[in-house]
Amino acid sequence: MYPSAGIPAAHGDTKTALAKTVSGISGLDDITNGGLPEGRPTLVAGKAGSGKTLFAMQFLVSGATDYNEPGVFVSFEEREEDLIKNVRSLGFDLPQLIAEKKIVLEHIQLEQSEIEEIGDYNLDGLFIRLAYAIDSIGAKRVALDTIETLFASLGNEGILRAELRRLFFWLKEKGVTAVVTGESGQGNNLTRNGLEEYVSDCVIYLDHRVNNEVSTRRLRIVKYRGSAHGTNEYPFLITPENGITIMPVTTLGLMHEVLDEHIPTGIPRLDTMLGGEGYYRGSSILVSGTPGTGKTSIAATFAEAACRRNERCIYFTFEESPGQIIRNMRSIGIDLAPMADAGLLTIHASRPMTHGLETHLATMIKTVQDLAPDVVIVDPVSSLITAGEDLDTKSMLTRLIDYLKVNQITGLFTDLTQVEEASEQTRIRISSLMDTWILLRSIESGGEHNRVLYVLKSRGMAHSNQVREFVIADEGIDLLDVYLGPAGVLTGSARYVQEAKERAEAKDRAEELRKRKIELERKQKAIEAQIAALEAEHEAHKAEFERYSKRRELDEEVRNGYRRELARRRRAD
């Protein structure tokens, strides 16, 4: 169940100043700081139908079967055969326990005509029968149901108080841990006589109330001598599988361990927006939005992703049946049926008004305990408002969120917001309890509605602050970049038209660039041809110059030869 600082989990814990007996009633030992007072009587009071007899019987059966502590059950109203039949539906096999000498049932029928209110009235006959039953099996536990029947005809308060004290003192002397049931009294009296609560060491009050046509069972520890204990009211269930199960929610503290591991959301681009890896395992996630924005689709996608990792998922739904969810999700490419058939996915559907908030909480936690999931989805939490007030709903969800975190279970919660409400606000006001908050919105433009998504917060990780268009198609969910322009955010057809326009403009620019490139290449080739012609002309001029130069050199050489020959003939110096 719930971890709680300083609460012993076993019988006879040496750290507990007062010796205690483990009750065996799920959750009770947490809020009683270890169990009922050992060797002392405990009064369990309540109105008819509150669960007093079942409480006493479960205390005895648990001791006999789980802790080898035989017990005696004394009934002043129901016969043995009636008790056996009544508790058989809860899985208590009393005939077998009686045969094994672990349980003794005693029915003591008191006729009013046999009880006289005289000064020497006493309970010696009861003590003799009770002592024999205790000694016959070595009983450690005793239950008396109900004490009012024993003193129904006594009007003398002095005698009544004296005999009550004597009864409780006798039980202490026998060293048995006793549970004594009593009917509720009038006004502020917990019991009919208004005396039993004063002579009892521990007093537990059971309440079965009906508000707005919804019933809720609650338990409160009125007093516990010598021991600290929970003081609030605690919801409890009576189920065939477990009998009484109590929810000690106020023992929770902010001391749970956290994990650095990430798990995918099932939507790759959403993973990217959440630091590239998805949610933290064991964290709480809120997906809120107006009707039709895709909250259930995101939840179902996350459930599918968890099951594909071979993780177990519980999907609590308050608006759709399991078959409806499976059919609807199949339309977007998510087939949950094989996962449900394989036992990886459990869809638990119920109407919010079927039970009170506390019963819903107890049922959900009991389901989580039985199936030990890795992921829990609640869709939508806003429906629970119909089962209670806003503050009560927040309290109930706070307990559930804390329980999931303590057990390192990732919880995803969807919340429906109305169009007229502020989008960044939830009616139940649970956003502060969430580690990640994903907000979905519907934007109307160009005569159509389109969805957008953004991450409002995600504790402990860098996350995107960008708005993404949220598209639900036959193949599943995708996130697209929105178009941001002078007119604001464009989505849907407006985005498509704008993107088409930009593609056409880009194509025109590319065509213009191609033409300019061709013209440049043409001019370059023309210039290169001109350069080639000039180079050829230059080469021609150069060749002509070389030929002229050689002729000049040849002429000069001929003239020089002629001069030399002439000089020779003249015999010049």
Side-chain angles (χ1 to χ4, degrees), residues 79-142:
R79 296 176 301 172
E80 291 94 332
E81 53 268 29
D82 292 332
L83 281 171
I84 291 173
K85 292 178 182 178
N86 292 341
V87 300
R88 183 174 294 154
S89 62
L90 299 172
F92 297 162
D93 189 357
L94 293 185
Q96 179 67 27
L97 294 174
I98 293 172
E100 296 174 354
K101 296 187 180 300
K102 293 183 177 181
I103 291 286
V104 170
L105 296 183
E106 284 281 349
H107 175 228
I108 300 179
Q109 186 173 358
L110 300 174
E111 296 293 341
Q112 185 171 348
S113 60
E114 298 176 0
I115 301 176
E116 297 181 359
E117 187 177 339
I118 58 177
D120 60 351
Y121 173 87
N122 58 63
L123 299 174
D124 289 343
L126 173 64
F127 294 159
I128 292 173
R129 292 188 62 174
L130 194 53
Y132 176 78
I134 292 173
D135 295 338
S136 66
I137 60 171
K140 301 294 184 182
R141 304 186 181 201
V142 171

Side-chain angles (χ1 to χ4, degrees), residues 27 53 80 165 218 236 336 404 424 449 460 486 499 545 551:
T53 301
E80 291 94 332
R165 289 185 180 277
R218 300 197 181 192
F236 71 92
L336 300 177
L404 296 178
E424 298 180 0
H449 282 275
E499 289 177 348
F545 174 76
R551 284 197 301 270

Side-chain angles (χ1 to χ4, degrees), residues 3 8 35 140 157 192 226 248-249 264 274 292 324 326 371 376-377 464 473-474 478 490 514 524 559 566:
K140 301 294 184 182
E157 185 175 325
R192 183 181 298 177
V249 292
L274 295 170
Q324 187 177 2
I326 291 175
L371 299 180
V376 167
I377 295 172
S464 173
D474 295 341
D478 194 12
L490 298 181
R514 186 185 68 83
Q524 182 176 355
R559 284 194 294 271
L566 181 60

Side-chain angles (χ1 to χ4, degrees), residues 256-309:
H256 54 269
E257 295 183 3
V258 296
L259 302 174
D260 292 328
E261 179 187 359
H262 290 79
I263 55 176
T265 65
I267 307 172
R269 288 210 66 180
L270 182 55
D271 292 339
T272 302
M273 295 179 69
L274 295 170
E277 299 178 283
Y279 309 125
Y280 277 123
R281 184 178 293 280
S283 64
S284 55
I285 303 105
L286 176 64
V287 180
S288 66
T290 53
T293 49
K295 301 178 294 298
T296 299
S297 299
I298 287 183
T301 302
F302 184 49
E304 181 196 36
C307 294
R308 290 190 181 280
R309 297 191 300 270

Side-chain angles (χ1 to χ4, degrees), residues 14 33 69 146-147 155 170 173 229 245 249 352 360 363-364 368 396 454 480 515 529 544 557:
T14 58
N33 204 23
E69 295 183 354
T146 65
I147 197 171
W170 186 89
E173 280 193 327
H229 60 85
T245 301
V249 292
H360 277 300
T363 302
M364 294 168 78
V368 171
M396 174 264 194
Y454 61 95
L480 306 177
K515 290 180 179 180
E544 179 64 23
E557 184 178 350

Side-chain angles (χ1 to χ4, degrees), residues 5 8 24 62 68 83 94 121 172 227 231-232 246 274 281 284 308 387 424 437 482 488 494 522 569:
S62 176
N68 195 29
L83 281 171
L94 293 185
Y121 173 87
K172 288 183 180 181
S227 174
T231 57
N232 292 340
I246 302 169
L274 295 170
R281 184 178 293 280
S284 55
R308 290 190 181 280
E424 298 180 0
W437 185 2
V482 297
R522 185 188 65 78
R569 289 181 179 186

